[in-house]
Amino acid sequence: MQSINDVSQALLAQVVTSDTPRDILKSSEIKDLYNQIAQLDPSERGAYGKQVNTLKLNLMSAIEVREAELDNATVTPIDISAPWDVNSRPLGLLPTTYGSEHPLMKELSVVIDIFTRMGFAAIESRQIDDDFHMFGALNFPENHPARDGYDTFRTEENFIPPAHTSTMQHRILKDGKARLEAGGQIAAVSYGRVFRNEDVDATHEHTFYQCEGVFVSETATLGDMLGTLRAFFESYYGQALKIKTQPAYFPFVEPGLEFAIERPAALGGKPGEWLEMLGCGMIHPNVLLAAGIDPTQYQGFAWGGGIERLVMLKYGIEDLRHFESGKLQFLRKFV
Ligand code: DAH
C-alpha cells in the first residue's frame, strides 16, 4: 500500500505538467485512497480521512494555480512562413483561388468602354482636392448656400476629398484649351471615388463612384448632349429607353437639367416609373472663362452621375450598402 505522502507527491507532480489538471481528482490513485478507508481499523479512520482530505485540498490549490497558468499561456505565434494553403476550402465554400473583380469596377470598365468608343478620353478623378476645384472653378460663389448641398469632408489643412467628379472639369478644360483653339474639341470623361459626409442607409453612402463627362466645341448643343446620354444609357442597358429631363440648379451649368430614364419592363419597371440618373447641362460661361476658354466662341455640355445607381438598376440590387460591405455572398453573384 502506497503511503498518502507518496501518492500526494506523485499527484502534485502530475498537476504541474498536466494540460487537464482537474482530471487528476478522478484518478485511480485517489479512488484507491478512499477504498482503503474500509480496510482500516475504525480507530484509525478519522486521522486517515483527514490526511486524505488535506491531500485533496492541496491538490485543488495546485490545480487552480495550474489552470490559471494554462489560461495565461501565450498562444504559439503564427508562423507566417509556414506553407499554409490559403486557398484551401475549409468550409466547403467556392474556391477563392483567384478572387474576382469588384462588381463596381467591372461595371465602371463597361461605362468607360462605351464612352471611349464614342470618342471620349477617360481619366481617373483625384481622391484629394481643394476648394478651388470643388467649388471656385465651378462658379459656386464664396459662402453660397449651394456649397452646403455637397456635405463635403475637409482635412485640417482645408483639403477636400471630392464630393463629386466635377472637380475634374477645370483640369479637363484647361488641358483641352489648346486643342480646341487648334480647331479640335474637348471630349473627356472622368471617373472615380467621391466622398460625402452623409448618414449611410440603403440609398446613401459616404463613399461612392461617379462618372463625369465634358464636351466642348464651337457648336455643341443641348440636343447633342441628350443624344450622347441616350446613346450611353441604351448601350449600357442593351435596349431602347424612354428619357426625360427637368430643370435643376447646378451653379456650373446653364441651363441645368436632371436626366431620367423610364425603368425598363425587362428590369422590373412599370410604365411611368422614372429614375433620375444624373445631372447635366450646358457649361456655364464662367466655368469656361475660369479655364481661359472664350465662351462667346465655344460652348459645351457636361454631366455627372453615380455609378452605383446604374449598376443597382441593371442587376436589381436593392441596397447600396452591399457594395462596400465586403460580403462574399454578394460579391460572388458577380463572379
Ligand atoms: N456634380 C453634380 C453632383 O454630384 C452632378 C452634375 C450635375 C454634374 C450637372 C455635371 C452637371 O457635370 O453638369 O450632384
Side-chain angles (χ1 to χ4, degrees), residues 138 150 163-167 169 196 208 210-214 225 250 252-253 255-257 278-283 301-305:
L138 291 169
Y150 286 85
H164 57 182
T165 42
S166 305
T167 49
Q169 277 198 23
R196 291 193 192 179
F208 54 104
Q210 281 193 338
C211 181
E212 185 88 9
V214 176
M225 178 181 82
F250 302 99
F252 36 100
V253 279
L257 303 173
L278 49 77
C280 56
M282 297 304 288
I283 299 176
F301 54 85
W303 73 88

Side-chain angles (χ1 to χ4, degrees), residues 40-230:
L40 291 174
D41 186 280
S43 64
E44 292 172 34
R45 286 182 191 166
Y48 180 85
K50 264 192 190 154
Q51 276 182 290
V52 177
N53 276 340
T54 310
L55 180 156
K56 266 191 92 175
L57 288 175
N58 289 343
L59 213 50
M60 274 306 296
S61 26
I63 287 168
E64 276 160 22
V65 170
R66 175 64 181 157
E67 281 178 342
E69 190 178 282
L70 288 171
D71 276 352
N72 296 334
T74 40
V75 177
T76 316
I78 294 171
D79 174 4
I80 54 163
S81 68
W84 287 106
D85 178 3
V86 291
N87 297 315
S88 68
R89 299 165 60 178
L91 300 175
L93 298 172
L94 287 174
T96 54
T97 318
Y98 301 116
S100 62
E101 199 177 12
H102 191 282
L104 275 181
M105 295 302 101
K106 237 185 199 167
E107 294 302 312
L108 191 54
S109 309
V110 175
V111 169
I112 293 166
D113 190 50
I114 296 171
F115 283 122
T116 49
R117 277 187 284 125
M118 290 166 105
F120 288 86
I123 43 166
E124 191 170 359
S125 64
R126 297 171 58 122
Q127 295 194 37
I128 195 76
D129 218 317
D130 54 24
D131 193 273
F132 175 70
H133 290 89
M134 177 69 212
F135 294 121
L138 291 169
N139 193 38
F140 285 82
E142 286 288 340
N143 301 320
H144 193 279
R147 291 178 174 230
D148 299 338
Y150 286 85
D151 302 307
T152 43
F153 291 110
R154 276 174 198 272
T155 68
E156 281 167 11
E157 302 84 0
N158 213 22
F159 287 114
I160 297 177
H164 57 182
T165 42
S166 305
T167 49
M168 297 301 288
Q169 277 198 23
H170 181 72
R171 297 184 175 93
I172 291 170
L173 293 173
K174 265 202 331 202
D175 176 70
K177 176 178 148 79
R179 224 171 320 122
L180 193 62
E181 289 170 356
Q185 303 166 334
I186 299 175
V189 292
S190 179
Y191 56 91
R193 227 180 232 175
V194 293
F195 309 89
R196 291 193 192 179
N197 190 356
E198 298 227 48
D199 287 338
V200 172
D201 63 25
T203 55
H204 296 90
E205 260 288 3
H206 49 70
T207 302
F208 54 104
Y209 287 80
Q210 281 193 338
C211 181
E212 185 88 9
V214 176
F215 184 87
V216 184
S217 73
E218 282 184 20
T219 59
T221 65
L222 197 78
D224 294 339
M225 178 181 82
L226 296 180
T228 303
L229 292 175
R230 173 193 285 282

